[in-house]
Amino acid sequence: MSKFVIVTDSCADLTAELVAQLDIKVIPLTYLIDEKEYCDDPMNPDMNAQEFYGLLRGGKTATTAAVNVGTYTEVLEPLLAEGNDVLVLAFSSGLSTTYNSGVIAAEELREKYPQRKLYVVDTLCASLGEGLLVAHAAHKRAEGMDIDAVRDWVEANKLNLCHQFTVNDLFFLKRGGRVSAATAMLGTMLAIKPVMHVDNEGHLIKVGTARGRAASIKALADRMAETAIDPADQIVYICHGDCIDDANKLAGMVRERFGVKDVMIGYTGPVIGAHSGPGTLALFWLGTQR
């Protein structure tokens, strides 16, 4: 096995079990509720997902903070000092300054550890889309690829990591500036649900609408049908904002329609969920294009 450390951030929304299984390191982001800071650490969360979404449903608002340069340095320097090469796979630069902080920290650390390889990749991915890309990178490492080959594979394939999702409450997107107040009000009245994706620049973009929750869930599977590459050989990821029944319904559709190898279901973490809200549902797979 090729020896190097893969580092990502908690916006990848990987479970503690997957973090351990993939043998990766996760840098937590933070969020604030009622001026109290919480750490989004998958290995030791300050708050579980059910409690977090319960607070949002109760009217609480969460604000989030990116990983800063100092935190990157604190995590990466000990790894380099121990003699490791490091590949950082960062949350989309189209949604956060986390990647930019990683680049700055890496530039400083390369001067101190010139004998080590340290790469920072902008995944242009979010939530379990980022997580699925990280998982593929970890599997490539386990197959024997060296750090340069894995970095190159991620760069070559990241725009094939498809993200499709819908939300149940448009007012969370309104607060984040993703939809207008009028759109949120009208959409709520008419039960219109947006279907959105993360585009090639890593931005959150609306690609369609569906009338009602059932139609919006079906629309996610329909999008996968349009682009999926060899779906029967894929493990796809689904994340949800505390709506496990809908996630299981979508998983059933995907298994029935595409005969996928497996489906992994996890929570949309608090940093992403603060902006998308309870009832968020997303599907991630490898496709011909985003």
Side-chain angles (χ1 to χ4, degrees):
M1 182 186 295
S2 182
K3 289 293 186 181
F4 60 93
V5 179
I6 295 176
V7 176
T8 191
D9 51 71
S10 63
C11 283
D13 287 342
L14 292 165
T15 64
E17 292 77 14
L18 271 173
V19 170
Q21 177 186 324
L22 297 171
D23 189 22
I24 62 172
K25 188 168 185 62
V26 177
I27 303 176
L29 277 76
T30 59
Y31 58 99
L32 291 172
I33 299 177
D34 290 337
E35 299 184 357
K36 180 179 178 181
E37 184 176 81
Y38 297 87
C39 184
D40 180 27
D41 184 348
M43 309 309 287
N44 186 29
D46 285 346
M47 184 185 302
N48 66 43
Q50 296 95 325
E51 183 182 358
F52 172 76
Y53 284 107
L55 290 175
L56 294 191
R57 289 189 175 102
K60 296 293 185 181
T61 299
T63 58
T64 60
V67 178
N68 59 37
V69 175
T71 298
Y72 263 116
T73 301
E74 289 172 7
V75 172
L76 299 179
E77 184 160 15
L79 298 175
L80 298 168
E82 291 168 2
N84 298 292
D85 294 331
V86 180
L87 174 62
V88 180
L89 303 178
F91 183 37
S92 172
S93 63
L95 296 169
S96 170
T97 60
T98 291
Y99 163 73
N100 295 326
S101 295
V103 169
I104 294 168
E107 288 174 352
E108 296 172 354
L109 288 168
R110 286 191 196 102
E111 293 181 5
K112 191 171 180 180
Y113 299 92
Q115 74 280 22
R116 301 266 55 88
K117 292 181 178 180
L118 172 57
Y119 302 134
V120 181
V121 175
D122 182 0
T123 67
L124 300 172
C125 294
S127 191
L128 276 177
E130 181 184 353
L132 183 53
L133 190 65
V134 170
H136 279 295
H139 294 319
K140 297 298 180 185
R141 179 183 60 180
E143 291 168 6
M145 278 192 181
D146 64 20
I147 188 170
D148 294 276
V150 174
R151 188 269 312 269
D152 292 347
W153 186 93
V154 171
E155 290 285 12
N157 288 274
K158 65 187 183 183
L159 296 184
N160 299 107
L161 205 301
C162 301
H163 305 55
Q164 293 288 324
F165 75 98
T166 188
V167 301
N168 209 34
D169 186 340
L170 287 165
F171 286 98
F172 284 90
L173 292 180
K174 179 190 78 68
R175 282 200 290 270
R178 303 298 179 186
V179 300
S180 68
T183 297
M185 182 67 73
L186 184 63
T188 299
M189 290 172 59
L190 299 178
I192 294 172
K193 309 297 182 183
V195 178
M196 308 183 80
H197 84 147
V198 175
D199 69 7
N200 287 353
E201 286 73 49
H203 298 116
L204 191 58
I205 301 294
K206 178 181 171 184
V207 292
T209 58
R211 189 70 178 268
R213 182 67 164 178
S216 70
I217 295 173
K218 180 177 180 296
L220 303 182
D222 289 344
R223 289 290 293 173
M224 182 173 171
E226 295 172 8
T227 69
I229 300 169
D230 192 13
D233 196 40
Q234 288 200 44
I235 296 174
V236 302
Y237 282 12
I238 292 171
C239 71
H240 66 97
D242 202 29
C243 53
I244 186 61
D245 290 343
D246 288 342
N248 285 330
K249 180 178 180 181
L250 177 58
M253 285 183 185
V254 168
R255 287 190 174 100
E256 182 178 351
R257 290 181 65 174
F258 309 113
V260 296
K261 185 184 296 183
D262 200 5
V263 179
M264 199 288 289
I265 298 175
Y267 273 94
T268 307
V271 174
I272 303 291
H275 304 283
S276 58
T280 300
L281 186 64
L283 177 64
F284 309 96
W285 71 93
L286 283 174
T288 54
Q289 61 183 10
R290 288 192 173 185

